[in-house]
Amino acid sequence: MAVEIRFTKEGPIEIKGQVTLHAHDGRVVQAKPGDAVYLCRCGASMAKPFCDGAHAAIAFDGSLA
Ligand code: FES
C-alpha cells in the first residue's frame, strides 16, 4: 500500500499508510494501513517530532512554511 504525505494548510504533516517512524529519542510509532500520523512543522509541539495540537494555539500559518 502506498504511503501518502500531505502538508496541511494550518498544521502538521500528515502521513497516511503503513509506516514506522523512529523519533530521535527512541520513540517508535507504527502505523497500520488506514492510520495517520502527524508530524509537527510549526515548532510549538511539546511532543516533537509529533504534533500535539499546539499549532492551533499559535495560529500557525502553514502557507508560509
Ligand atoms: S504542527 Fe501541530 S503542534 Fe506543530
Side-chain angles (χ1 to χ4, degrees):
M1 178 177 183
V3 173
E4 294 182 21
I5 300 173
R6 183 173 70 91
F7 290 76
T8 64
K9 184 176 179 184
E10 297 174 348
I13 299 167
E14 178 185 71
I15 301 172
K16 282 185 175 177
Q18 186 170 1
V19 296
T20 303
L21 300 175
H22 299 266
H24 66 282
D25 59 4
R27 287 176 290 164
V28 176
V29 172
Q30 292 187 316
K32 302 182 297 279
D35 286 351
V37 177
Y38 297 91
L39 299 180
C40 177
R41 68 183 180 116
C42 76
S45 174
M46 298 302 290
K48 292 182 193 81
F50 304 103
C51 171
D52 68 358
H55 58 269
I58 66 167
F60 176 66
D61 183 353
S63 68
L64 302 176

